């Protein structure tokens, strides 16, 4: 294995000091002279025609500087996927959920803005609404969008291999259904932004986003500004998990209000508005049948999905494709059939959330495998190992597992959890369960069709040679991407991490699609590596010329320059450098020529040293409809074992232990990888046991706050035994691939399988509240 | 969410506070930890034009033992202080335990016992504990003073007998008899930061470590518009010999006292079944503590 100087370590995050001391600036920390505050008017009803909007009273309120509705905003349709642009900035003909945006106000302070919003009078003609996805599919149900009849946003029908024939050769078929609940991502920082229009008509938008690039494009399109005149700058972001991966009415509203007033406008969502905006995990209904041989060979899978998408599409098309495509692995199948429906209902729109589209169906499938193992009398781990894919396998839907440490992960958790001594040997009320999963390391294609690079990076050396400035549009949202980028640059250039300074999240710096689909380590990583190699080459060439040696004899290591592995005779270079730098406080004394001296010498020759790197995946995937969704240059995978205690008298579940193994190719930063593993597991635990966005009969959210929308606390979350598996991905920079989302895939089913092991009851609806489990236990006793 | 505008007062004596309260009539609210009041003000449920802080009034945040036979707890004592207090844990166990389950550490640092009682949520943690300890509440206004039993204090969700011009000064509790023990159990979804789906407080007194039950008190929360004493269940216990079967029976009888609702936190059916189970458990725990009672240090 390659020996790394910076990579694969536990280097502290580059933003640690700023965040630990509270100096790091988030969007809501920013203020600007003359700044106005914005507020949004949202629909109080779930479905209705807008008859009239009267803003006159609001406009008259002292301190109000602008009031905007669809009249000012225009009716440009936008969304995430160009195939389904179904939103306008403000509702004009009708509102489709409680929370639909109708108008916005800018005023001298927030109190005034909020008061003004209350003064806007909207006359509605209330329409019948539909809140349940199955109801919405029925004949005669209230229709949300005329363009998309029967409330179907998108439907997918795919078949790989001959499913009928494959089922015919099976010894038996196992069926399973599963229902999860609508999630909220519950990131700590609500969306916030400040928009500033300068006098030349150029917009700078500071916003808490995962995707500066897409926000730039959407805001430009909706407000009719040339894309080049929009700059999106992302300050530090307090988590995203998906819902911040698209442009929001907040951002567009602030930009519009700033254009109207020519003042900076700040807008922040309250926690309740975060729930109303949503764009988090869909509700999924899964129905599947698995055809098996008696010897434990998996043969064919039939999979059906119904997704409750809320009032607009958001990421929904990709979501409904993912629910099918992400079951292509990590087990070998002869045939697979998928039918998916994504349905509109009068609720906030759902979008992408960690493990996009795959989580619920993975949970269903891994539960189905557990059921199958019981029927076969086989250890669930053996069943999985028997069917597992390995490096080089291609799934039946043409996803290429260019590296896959799935088997290693399973073996690691089997040993790490002491599975063999526990499975089948625990007392009643205690259980152990396991599951697997895999996920993309970056989507193979951008959201809009284009040949664009997915990532470019610029590295610019400081003129003194001491600092490597990495400039990137990629989005640090708390996941640690700035640290990854810095470490890759440092490793590639052979300098200590302290010499690297990362500036990120700014569309003016470079092209980057942003933080979604677990793409930045691989894609921004590649571009960073290439940019660093370019800079390195420039310095090496100058040195080779100065030293009259071959470039291949020069190496940079820990900020020193080695010639043929030794210090070499570099006196003339140093003399030159010292002459150059009379008065500088740091005359070099090192036994070796330093990287800084070398970079300075190269600068004197070439001017400012700049390297640029770029990355886009090669053409990936099959030729069938929807083949793009699920493709990726690489796939991360993981296996988990969970141990639970069930209080048989109350139904309460305590997760006692979690063992997680994840194949991330190469762990750029081991601590960060473990952080992603732990975070994923905690999120999955919450989704399994507690989380559900609940509505009343009129479509109003009952629990739009973190008191009653329960995410796990430190006391609910056990310690995690994290095992990092490194398969060395050929398509990843230094062999690296994802960990951010794949790690959540096995969590839900592993907990559910453990609950089954503890109780003999299989729960197929989330969340597993104490009541749900208790009632199921009672029912079982009854029979 | 923003706080509405209000005038803020910080009296430094009880008299001053009581005068303000009577002068300002219905326009004022007392502020203790603020963990209920400020939330309600932000949500525009409470709109006082004056807020009177208790922070500078001396003595309100003290726990004063009275020669072993009772304890006086100032109304502004925090849940954290209650939970960590050795005497309370030892002799007034349900209260210390309930305080330890209230909210999470940050909330416990601010939340006060007075605020918890006056706020009178059916699911609150401290009322059932105070009820099984037979606490007496001292209420004072500029012109009068009275003592009421906590059992007579609650009227309905958010409603108590306290008058607009009255301030809850302290909570007085007599030390339970020898061979007493108590416990508290709260059922919520998470291990912390939870609103009770059901909660149970219990005090048991035994004749001797292996004797019969001479006194029993059971209070249930989140099962009716106010926390309730399960008097019939208590009757079953008094005079009887403790056993798991007896405690189970008491749980079954206890359910009769309750009229829980179905809401998004849980159904009536489940709550009823949990009252049974948790009452039994809580009695078992109280019994274990009563058996191991030790004379005071
Ligand atoms: C995140 C969170 C979690 C919570 N978790 C729990 C929980 O698990 N269990 C639980 O029971 N509660 C919980 N609560 C509610 C709250 O914390 C408690 O009710 C707390 O005890 C209230 O005390 P306080 O001092 O903050 O009251 P305040 O908010 O200051 O006052 C509450 C009310 O009582 C009045 N008041 C206060 N002191 C006096 C007095 N001396 N005389 C007369 N009137 C007075 C006030 O005017 C106000 O109307 C939670 C609250 C939050 C925000």
């Amino acid at each position: 294995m390659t020996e790394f100087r910076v990579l694969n370590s536990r280097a502290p995050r580059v933003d640690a000091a700023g965040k630990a001391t509270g100096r790091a600036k988030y969007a809501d920390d920013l203020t600007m002279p003359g700044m106005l505050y914005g507020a949004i008017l949202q629909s109080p009803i779930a479905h209705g025609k807008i008859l009239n909007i009267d803003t006159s009273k609001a406009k008259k309120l002292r301190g109000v500087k602008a009031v905007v509705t669809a009249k000012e905003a225009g009716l440009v349709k936008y969304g995430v996927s160009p195939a389904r642009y179904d939103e306008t900035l403000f509702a004009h003909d009708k509102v489709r959920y409680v929370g639909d945006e109708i108008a916005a106000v800018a005023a001298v302070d927030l109190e005034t803005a909020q008061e003004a919003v209350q003064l806007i009078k909207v006359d509605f003609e209330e329409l019948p609404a539909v809140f349940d996805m199955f109801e919405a599919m029925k004949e005669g149900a209230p229709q949300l969008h005329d363009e998309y009849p029967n409330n179907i946003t998108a439907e997918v029908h795919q078949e790989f291999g001959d499913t009928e024939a494959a089922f015919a050769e099976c010894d038996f078929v196992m069926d399973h259904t599963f229902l999860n609940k609508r999630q909220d991502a519950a990131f700590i920082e609500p969306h916030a932004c400040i928009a500033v229009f300068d006098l030349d008509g150029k917009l700078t938008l500071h916003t808490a986003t995962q995707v500066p690039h897409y926000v730039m494009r959407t805001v430009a399109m909706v407000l009719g500004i040339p894309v080049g005149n929009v700059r999106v700058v992302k300050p530090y972001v307090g988590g995203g998990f998906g819902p911040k991966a698209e442009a929001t009415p907040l951002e567009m509203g602030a930009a519009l209000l700033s254009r109207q007033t020519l003042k900076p406008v700040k807008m922040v969502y309250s926690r309740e508005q975060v729930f109303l905006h949503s764009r988090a995990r869909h509700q999924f209904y899964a129905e599947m049948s698995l055809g098996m041989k008696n010897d434990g060979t998996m043969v064919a899978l039939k999979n059906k999905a119904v997704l409750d998408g809320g009032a607009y599409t958001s990421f929904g098309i990709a979501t409904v494709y993912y629910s099918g495509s992400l079951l292509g692995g990590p087990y070998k199948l002869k045939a697979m059939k998928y039918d998916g429906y994504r349905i509109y209902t009068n609720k906030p729109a759902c979008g992408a959330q960690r493990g996009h589209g795959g989580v619920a169906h993975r949970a269903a499938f891994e539960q189905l495998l557990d059921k199958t193992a019981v029927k076969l009398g086989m250890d669930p781990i053996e069943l999985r190992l028997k069917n597992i894919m390995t490096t080089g396998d291609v799934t039946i839907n043409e996803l290429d597992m260019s590296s896959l440490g799935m088997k290693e992960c399973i073996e690691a958790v089997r040993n790490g959890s002491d599975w063999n001594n526990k499975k089948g040997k625990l007392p009643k009320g205690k259980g152990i369960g396991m599951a697997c999963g895999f996920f993309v390391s970056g989507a193979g294609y951008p959201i809009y069709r284009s040949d664009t690079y997915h990532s470019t990076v610029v590295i610019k050396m400081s003129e003194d040679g001491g600092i490597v400035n990495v400039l990137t549009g990629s989005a640090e949202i708390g996941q640690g991407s700035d640290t990854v980028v810095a470490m890759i640059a440092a490793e590639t250039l052979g300098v200590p991490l302290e010499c690297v300074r990362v500036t990120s999240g700014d569309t003016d710096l470079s092209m980057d699609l942003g933080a979604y689909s677990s793409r930045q380590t691989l894609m921004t990583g590649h571009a960073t590596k290439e940019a660093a190699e370019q800079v390195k080459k420039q310095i090496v060439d100058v040195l080779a010329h100065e030293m009259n040696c071959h470039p291949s004899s020069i190496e940079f290591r820990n900020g020193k320059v080695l010639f043929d592995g030794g210090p070499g005779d570099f006196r003339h270079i140093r003399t030159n450098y010292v002459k150059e730098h009379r008065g500088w406080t740091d005359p070099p004394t090192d036994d070796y020529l330093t990287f800084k001296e070398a970079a300075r010498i190269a600068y004197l020759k070439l001017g400012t040293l700049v390297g640029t790197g770029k990355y886009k995946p090669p053409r990936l995937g099959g030729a069938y409809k929807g083949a793009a969704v699920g493709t990726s240059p690489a796939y991360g995978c993981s296996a988990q074992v969970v141990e639970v205690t069930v209080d048989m008298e109350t139904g309460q579940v305590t997760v006692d232990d979690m063992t997680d193994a994840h194949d991330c190719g190469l762990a750029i930063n081991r601590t960060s990888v473990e952080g992603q593993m732990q975070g994923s597991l905690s999120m999955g635990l919450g989704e399994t046991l507690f989380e559900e966005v609940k509505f009343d009969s009129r479509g109003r959210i009952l629990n739009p706050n973190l008191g009653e929308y329960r995410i796990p606390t430190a006391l609910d979350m056990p310690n995690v035994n994290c095992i990092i598996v490194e398969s060395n991905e050929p398509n990843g920079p230094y062999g690296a691939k994802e960990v951010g989302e794949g790690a959540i895939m096995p969590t839900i089913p592993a907990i559910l399988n453990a609950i089954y092991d503890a109780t003999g009851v299989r729960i197929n609806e989330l969340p597993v509240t104490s009541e749900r489990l208790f009632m199921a236990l009672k029912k079982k006793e009854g029979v | 969410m923003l706080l509405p505008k209000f005038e803020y007062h910080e009296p430094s004596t009880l008299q001053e506070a009581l005068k303000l309260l009577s002068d300002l009539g219905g326009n004022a609210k007392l502020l203790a930890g603020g963990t209920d009041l400020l939330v309600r003000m932000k949500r525009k449920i409470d709109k006082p034009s004056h807020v009177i802080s208790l922070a500078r009034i001396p003595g309100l945040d003290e726990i004063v033992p009275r020669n072993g036979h009772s304890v006086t707890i100032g109304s502004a004592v925090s849940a954290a202080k209650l939970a960590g207090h050795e005497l309370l844990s030892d002799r007034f166990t349900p209260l210390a335990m309930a305080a330890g389950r209230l909210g999470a550490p940050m909330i416990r640092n601010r939340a006060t016992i007075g605020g918890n009682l006056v706020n009178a949520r059916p699911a609150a943690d401290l009322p059932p504990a105070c009820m099984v300890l037979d606490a007496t509440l001292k209420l004072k206004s500029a012109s009068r003073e009275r003592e009421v039993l906590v059992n007579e204090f609650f009227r309905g969700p958010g409603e108590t007998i306290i008058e607009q011009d009255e301030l809850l000064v302290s909570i007085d509790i007599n030390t339970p008899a020898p061979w007493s023990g108590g416990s508290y159990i709260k059922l919520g979804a998470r291990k912390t930061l939870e609103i009770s789906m059901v909660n149970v407080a219990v005090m048991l007194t035994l004749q001797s470590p292996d004797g019969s039950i001479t006194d029993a008190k059971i209070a249930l929360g989140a099962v009716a518009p106010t926390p309730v004493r399960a008097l019939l269940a208590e009757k079953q216990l008094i005079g009887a010999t403790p056993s798991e079967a007896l405690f189970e029976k008491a749980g079954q009888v206890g359910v009769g006292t309750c009229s829980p609702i179905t809401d998004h936190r849980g159904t009536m059916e489940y709550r009823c079944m949990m009252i049974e189970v948790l009452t039994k458990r809580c009695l078992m725990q109280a019994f274990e503590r009563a058996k191991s009672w030790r004379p005071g240090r």
Side-chain angles (χ1 to χ4, degrees):
Chain A
M1 204 172 131
T2 335
E3 203 188 312
F4 294 114
R5 313 269 156 202
V6 180
L7 301 184
N8 213 231
S9 70
R10 292 187 175 278
R13 295 174 60 115
V14 295
D15 51 6
K19 285 182 173 171
T21 56
R23 286 189 182 202
K25 291 274 182 266
Y26 294 80
D28 195 23
D29 295 327
L30 307 177
T31 56
M32 288 179 191
M35 184 174 90
L36 302 175
Y37 294 80
I40 297 186
L41 175 68
Q42 290 169 284
S43 172
I45 61 168
H47 201 188
K49 277 194 188 137
I50 297 177
L51 302 177
N52 187 43
I53 303 175
D54 179 1
T55 58
S56 55
K57 272 198 183 141
K59 280 183 175 146
K60 279 188 210 131
L61 185 70
R62 204 189 151 93
V64 170
K65 299 295 177 191
V67 180
V68 291
T69 63
K71 220 158 95 199
E72 290 76 19
L75 297 177
V76 176
K77 293 233 172 167
Y78 75 95
V80 172
S81 166
R84 253 346 150 273
Y85 281 169
D86 58 2
E87 298 189 63
T88 53
L89 172 48
F90 295 118
H92 61 107
D93 52 349
K94 57 179 202 167
V95 289
R96 295 181 175 86
Y97 72 98
V98 174
D100 218 348
E101 297 80 6
I102 300 169
V105 172
V108 290
D109 55 35
L110 187 53
E111 286 87 343
T112 308
Q114 287 181 348
E115 198 185 332
V117 158
Q118 300 301 319
L119 294 176
I120 300 172
K121 195 169 162 295
V122 185
D123 299 327
F124 297 105
E125 176 192 326
E126 206 158 341
L127 296 169
V130 61
F131 304 115
D132 177 86
M133 54 181 163
F134 300 109
E135 291 299 319
M137 291 172 88
K138 285 184 186 157
E139 192 95 14
Q143 298 291 303
L144 272 83
H145 296 267
D146 294 339
E147 308 89 310
Y148 307 109
N150 307 318
N151 293 320
I152 297 177
T153 317
E155 58 184 297
V156 181
H157 303 285
Q158 295 177 330
E159 183 168 6
F160 307 98
D162 185 341
T163 335
E164 283 315 309
F167 269 97
E169 59 172 89
C170 291
D171 294 322
F172 66 97
V173 176
M174 291 297 287
D175 299 322
H176 190 59
T177 63
F178 178 81
L179 185 69
N180 79 332
K181 294 294 157 59
R182 166 187 287 251
Q183 299 286 110
D184 184 86
F187 35 74
I188 297 306
E189 183 206 16
H191 305 73
C193 67
I194 301 185
V196 202
F197 252 94
D198 68 19
L199 298 174
D200 303 335
K202 291 203 183 90
L203 168 69
T204 305
L205 180 63
H206 304 263
T207 180
T209 183
Q210 299 174 232
V211 287
H213 172 78
Y214 289 113
V215 170
M216 173 187 78
R217 285 178 60 97
T218 307
V219 170
M221 177 180 84
V222 170
L223 299 187
I225 314 167
V227 174
N229 280 3
V230 180
R231 174 182 176 201
V232 175
V233 184
K234 178 207 67 66
Y236 281 116
V237 169
F241 307 113
K244 287 182 187 163
E246 59 192 278
T248 64
L250 198 74
E251 292 159 333
M252 291 178 262
L256 176 62
L257 287 168
S258 174
R259 183 161 71 184
Q260 298 271 327
T261 58
L262 287 179
K263 299 243 171 155
V265 176
K266 178 184 216 169
M267 279 176 122
V268 181
Y269 274 152
S270 67
R271 180 60 65 181
E272 183 176 4
Q273 287 176 311
V274 171
F275 276 82
L276 288 176
H277 176 65
S278 183
R279 318 285 154 152
R281 174 120 51 240
H282 287 65
Q283 177 173 24
F284 297 80
Y285 167 73
E287 196 177 283
M288 44 185 81
S289 306
L290 177 64
M292 292 290 303
K293 292 276 197 199
N294 280 334
D295 69 352
T297 306
M298 297 178 202
V299 183
L301 174 70
K302 263 193 220 149
N303 175 20
K304 184 184 158 187
V306 184
L307 280 63
D308 180 351
Y312 298 101
T313 303
S314 176
F315 271 91
I317 299 183
T319 319
V320 67
Y321 273 108
Y322 269 129
S323 304
S325 66
L326 289 180
L327 289 186
Y331 313 107
K332 290 175 193 151
L333 287 168
K334 256 186 155 167
M336 179 167 88
K337 187 171 184 309
Y338 174 61
D339 298 287
Y341 304 85
R342 200 263 191 190
I343 305 301
Y344 287 122
T345 55
N346 291 108
K347 292 187 288 191
C350 298
Q353 188 177 320
R354 199 179 214 161
H356 189 189
V359 168
H361 282 254
R362 173 58 52 191
F365 188 61
E366 296 285 326
Q367 254 191 320
L368 176 55
L369 290 185
D370 216 54
K371 260 174 147 174
T372 308
V374 172
K375 174 161 169 91
L376 286 164
M378 211 170 163
D379 184 299
I381 286 189
E382 291 308 327
L383 174 65
R384 286 175 171 85
L385 285 175
K386 187 173 168 68
N387 294 281
I388 209 74
M389 291 182 170
T390 54
T391 296
D393 281 339
V394 176
T395 69
I396 186 151
N397 51 340
E398 297 176 63
L399 311 181
D400 183 355
M401 302 292 149
S402 40
S403 70
L404 194 74
M406 194 65 253
K407 186 162 166 279
E408 292 78 358
C409 287
I410 294 176
E411 277 159 3
V413 294
R414 173 157 70 182
N415 296 333
S417 66
D418 200 17
W419 171 274
N420 291 350
N421 286 317
K422 288 175 179 165
K423 176 65 187 167
K425 295 169 191 155
L426 299 174
K428 200 170 170 64
K430 294 221 171 253
I432 187 166
M434 72 90 58
C436 301
F438 78 101
F439 200 70
V440 302
S441 304
Y445 297 84
I447 294 170
Y448 54 93
R449 239 176 244 185
S450 168
D451 272 338
T452 179
Y453 288 101
H454 292 210
S455 181
T456 64
V457 166
V458 178
I459 292 184
K460 186 168 88 55
M461 293 301 305
S462 63
E463 54 101 9
D464 78 326
I467 297 294
V468 180
N469 284 298
V470 183
L471 311 178
T472 164
S474 63
E476 167 67 77
I477 56 166
Q479 84 283 43
S481 64
D482 279 359
T483 304
V484 163
V485 160
M487 289 174 80
I488 289 176
E491 183 73 44
T492 309
L493 281 166
V495 299
L497 189 54
E498 302 76 69
C499 297
V500 181
R501 205 174 281 161
V502 179
T503 311
S504 67
D506 183 336
T507 52
D508 269 6
L509 294 179
S510 89
M511 160 69 200
D512 200 291
L513 293 177
Y516 70 102
S517 77
S518 296
R519 53 174 297 287
Q520 291 186 156
T521 293
L522 189 141
M523 299 194 186
T524 315
H526 265 306
T528 304
K529 183 165 181 265
E530 189 179 287
E533 279 162 352
Q534 268 191 24
V535 169
K536 185 174 170 185
K537 184 171 183 314
Q538 293 169 39
I539 303 171
V540 165
D541 286 349
V542 170
L543 278 184
H545 181 78
E546 292 284 325
M547 294 288 284
N548 206 8
C549 67
H550 196 267
S552 67
S553 66
I554 300 174
E555 190 194 338
F556 300 150
R557 194 190 289 172
N558 287 337
K560 300 180 198 312
V561 181
L562 280 66
F563 298 97
D564 280 324
D569 185 3
F570 59 84
R571 274 171 299 178
H572 62 290
I573 301 183
R574 176 158 292 171
T575 310
N576 186 11
Y577 178 88
V578 172
K579 256 198 221 144
E580 259 294 308
H581 294 90
R582 250 189 294 270
W584 287 28
T585 51
D586 54 348
T589 53
D590 206 288
D591 294 344
Y592 287 82
L593 184 69
T594 62
F595 177 85
K596 186 176 170 180
E597 290 167 87
R600 172 71 185 175
I601 295 298
Y603 158 76
L604 292 176
K605 265 257 158 60
L606 302 174
T608 295
L609 302 180
V610 178
T612 64
K614 62 198 179 307
Y615 178 80
K616 69 177 159 189
R619 229 204 81 76
L620 295 166
Y624 58 91
K625 181 165 194 274
V629 184
T631 60
S632 177
Y635 298 89
C637 61
S638 54
Q640 282 161 30
V641 169
V642 170
E643 292 168 62
V644 300
T645 301
V646 175
D647 184 330
M648 303 294 279
E649 283 186 332
T650 64
Q652 279 181 302
V653 176
T654 302
V655 177
D656 301 317
D657 261 302
M658 299 176 113
T659 308
D660 180 19
H662 190 96
D663 169 18
C664 60
L666 171 99
I668 301 282
N669 184 311
R670 304 188 74 82
T671 309
S672 294
V673 168
E674 289 170 359
Q676 288 298 318
M677 291 165 78
Q678 288 160 354
S680 291
L681 269 63
S682 147
M683 203 166 204
L685 183 146
E687 179 162 3
T688 315
L689 299 182
F690 313 125
E691 295 178 39
E692 175 180 2
V693 179
K694 296 176 185 173
F695 293 84
D696 70 9
S697 62
R698 298 174 63 190
R700 292 173 298 200
I701 301 179
L702 286 166
N703 54 345
N705 55 68
L706 297 183
E708 296 252 16
Y709 182 87
R710 297 172 166 84
I711 59 173
T713 69
L715 295 187
D716 299 297
M717 186 63 198
N719 284 327
V720 181
N721 175 12
C722 292
I723 304 165
I724 298 175
V725 171
E726 294 173 294
S727 62
N728 195 11
E729 167 60 47
N731 299 328
Y734 294 103
K737 54 185 181 179
E738 73 83 40
V739 60
E741 297 182 82
I744 199 176
M745 288 292 168
T747 310
I748 297 171
I751 297 173
L752 294 173
N753 289 341
I755 291 172
Y756 174 80
D757 191 50
T759 63
V761 169
R762 207 167 282 290
I763 303 291
N764 62 351
E765 181 176 346
L766 299 185
V768 189
T769 58
S770 54
E771 172 160 358
R772 191 184 308 284
L773 182 51
F774 179 83
M775 293 303 185
L777 289 167
K778 264 256 170 298
K779 198 164 148 209
K780 184 178 169 240
E781 258 172 40
V783 240
Chain B
M1 275 180 291
L2 298 171
L3 277 175
K5 292 212 160 56
F6 57 86
E7 211 166 304
Y8 181 67
H9 307 268
E10 228 178 48
S12 52
T13 66
L14 185 57
Q15 275 58 40
E16 210 184 313
L18 294 175
K19 180 155 186 337
L20 273 169
L21 203 51
S22 94
D23 290 352
L24 294 168
N27 294 326
K29 277 273 178 195
L30 294 169
L31 173 73
T35 59
D36 279 318
L37 183 64
L38 297 182
V39 176
R40 290 169 65 86
M41 286 171 66
K42 282 187 173 180
R43 290 200 182 139
K44 316 279 187 281
I45 304 168
D46 286 342
K47 299 172 188 160
S49 37
H50 296 267
V51 170
I52 306 169
S53 165
L54 304 181
R56 283 156 55 95
I57 301 174
L60 282 188
D61 61 348
E62 281 169 21
I63 300 174
V64 185
R66 311 254 176 224
N67 306 325
H69 52 72
S70 72
V71 66
T72 298
I73 300 169
S75 66
V77 169
S78 71
K81 191 159 171 178
L82 294 173
H85 198 272
E86 219 173 303
L87 174 73
L88 292 186
S89 301
D90 195 29
R91 291 289 183 243
F92 308 85
T93 316
L95 184 56
M97 286 176 81
R101 292 300 311 275
L102 189 153
M106 284 195 289
I107 295 294
R108 290 198 283 275
N109 286 339
R110 296 215 56 83
T112 65
I113 182 168
N116 198 260
L117 294 174
V118 174
N119 201 49
R121 296 324 301 173
D125 282 299
L126 305 187
C130 289
M131 287 166 84
V132 298
L133 290 165
D134 260 342
T136 305
L137 312 184
K138 190 197 272 186
L139 306 176
K140 235 179 174 171
S141 73
S143 57
R144 63 189 188 284
E145 178 175 333
R146 56 176 174 149
E147 292 193 348
V148 297
L149 287 175
V150 70
N151 291 309
E152 291 154 11
F153 186 67
F154 302 107
R155 280 273 176 77
E159 279 178 50
T160 70
I161 61 159
I162 199 165
E163 302 282 337
Q164 241 166 41
D165 61 348
E166 280 180 316
L167 189 150
L168 168 57
V169 181
S170 64
I171 296 95
D172 289 286
I173 311 177
N174 287 331
T175 307
W179 306 113
S180 289
S183 192
Y184 179 78
I185 296 182
K186 168 179 188 171
L187 180 72
R190 295 186 292 204
K191 304 260 180 277
T192 183
L193 248 190
E194 266 303 331
I195 297 166
S196 301
M197 204 157 8
V198 175
N199 62 44
V200 187
V202 160
M203 275 306 288
L204 276 185
T205 308
L206 306 176
Q207 198 156 33
S208 60
D210 46 9
S212 57
I213 299 170
T214 57
D215 197 9
K217 297 204 177 63
I218 302 171
L220 302 163
V223 299
T226 67
V228 290
R229 281 275 294 275
L231 296 171
L232 281 178
E234 293 175 5
K235 252 202 191 131
Q236 295 260 328
L237 296 168
I238 296 172
T241 309
S243 72
E244 190 168 347
L246 177 72
F247 295 152
E248 198 168 323
K249 188 77 202 305
Q252 285 160 8
V253 175
V255 179
T257 323
C258 307
S259 51
I261 54 163
T262 292
D263 66 10
H264 66 90
R265 292 183 207 122
T267 62
M268 179 186 76
E269 292 80 1
Y270 180 64
R271 286 189 156 125
C272 286
M273 288 186 274
M274 289 307 103
I275 293 164
E276 272 188 56
V277 171
L278 299 181
T279 303
K280 180 196 78 180
R281 272 192 197 175
C282 204
L283 284 164
M284 292 291 290
Q285 293 174 3
F287 173 55
E288 292 304 322
R289 286 215 181 82
K291 277 197 298 187
S292 55
W293 182 89
R294 292 282 165 271
R297 281 146 295 168

